[in-house]
Amino acid sequence: MAEKHRVRFEPVGIEIDVAEDTTILRAAAEQGVMLMHGCKEGQCAACKSFILDGEDVEHDRYSTFALPDYEKEEGFTLLCRAHAYEDLTIELLNYDEEMIQSGLPIQEAEVEVTANDHVTHDLRHLVVKLTDPDQSLKFFPGQYLDFAIPGTEETRSFSMANTSARDGLLEFVIKIYPDGLFSRFLDADVAVGDRLRVTGPFGVFTLRDNPGKDLVFVGGGAGMAPILSLLRAMAERGIDRKATYYYGARREADLCFHDELRELEETLPNFRYVPALSEPGDDGWAGETGLITDVLRRAGLDLTGADAYVCGPPPMVEAALELLPALGVADKRVFYDKFTTTGESDA
């Protein structure tokens, strides 16, 4: 059994035990401590923190864009790739006091595929169910699971689109990449009745309680999944905050769950769905056009005091993270998932 060390997180004063063969982030998740994170692959820097006390830390492979060498030398670390070999004190640079001790237990489960359908030319709607009828897998709307890829040591992360594993079902919207390891597998090999292994839940892209404050959602591609989960949760819970969902696609055929989102406008009187096409062509599209962040900019909104949730391809997320503060959203009230692609993660 691997030796364990004590890791203390400041300024929150939380301590956990971390085995040497487990990353600090994973150990925290297993003990119900929900630290800020994104890709878990050392790519996004969402879990970047600073080592206040202790030096014996080793890192799994990571991107130097997320943690440049000079920052590592200064004492910065990526918790998703860091292994502790002595007791440490770590300063969290990015944390959410509302959620840090609200983590759900990490579980492993076997699931059976019940549907694997196209919703656009490059998005799949994957539905699975837990094979053990006595097992429940709890998660917060907006979180994700890791799928093990059979025959490999690799996993890929995908957000749930539903709100709970009611009846043991889990629902995902997954983009198919021509060279994606999981994408090829899902596209060519996965059939109804097949069984897969999942682990989770992970992620902090969850709806914060902020009564009376406006909500703005910005999404694209498979970023539909966690935002749809949040909107479905709002409908189930009767949350009546003013909310607008800006979703970007290339062509009208690339829009998915369009009818359900229009129905949510009826269910949630203060909700508005704004799809936009960057390449409308000659299809007679009468809606918004252009990049979704340009559409949001043109709307001329004052988002002071609002909460913003952004999920989708990295370029879209980066553009939104630059725009939203200019529209009045406080930096700490912008919550995002930046999906990465093959070579990093198929999220």
Side-chain angles (χ1 to χ4, degrees), residues 12 27 38 58 93 104 142 160 178 186 193 200 209 212 246 259 261 264 303:
V12 294
E58 298 293 335
L93 305 180
L104 296 170
M160 279 74 76
L186 181 65
D209 188 30
Y246 293 88
D259 291 342
L261 288 160
L264 282 171
L303 298 178

Side-chain angles (χ1 to χ4, degrees), residues 229-249:
S229 179
L230 297 181
L231 291 171
R232 287 171 167 176
M234 289 176 63
E236 290 178 5
R237 295 165 54 191
I239 296 174
D240 61 357
R241 292 166 64 181
K242 182 180 178 182
T244 308
Y245 181 17
Y246 293 88
Y247 181 79

Side-chain angles (χ1 to χ4, degrees), residues 111-115 126-130 147 168-172 196 198:
V111 298
E112 180 180 322
V113 176
T114 64
L126 176 68
V127 183
V128 301
K129 67 177 180 180
L130 297 169
F147 278 75
L169 292 176
L170 298 160
E171 184 179 350
F172 305 85
L196 303 169
V198 297

Side-chain angles (χ1 to χ4, degrees), residues 267-284:
T267 305
L268 296 167
N270 290 322
F271 169 65
R272 190 165 66 99
Y273 170 50
V274 182
L277 305 182
S278 60
E279 300 173 12
D282 299 320
D283 298 333

Side-chain angles (χ1 to χ4, degrees), residues 96-116:
D96 189 326
E97 290 187 76
E98 296 177 34
M99 302 199 61
I100 194 166
Q101 290 187 297
S102 65
L104 296 170
I106 302 301
Q107 300 180 63
E108 294 186 7
E110 181 185 65
V111 298
E112 180 180 322
V113 176
T114 64
N116 179 14

Side-chain angles (χ1 to χ4, degrees), residues 128-143:
V128 301
K129 67 177 180 180
L130 297 169
T131 58
D132 183 350
D134 296 323
Q135 184 176 14
S136 63
L137 199 160
K138 295 182 179 180
F139 62 90
F140 296 122
Q143 289 192 297

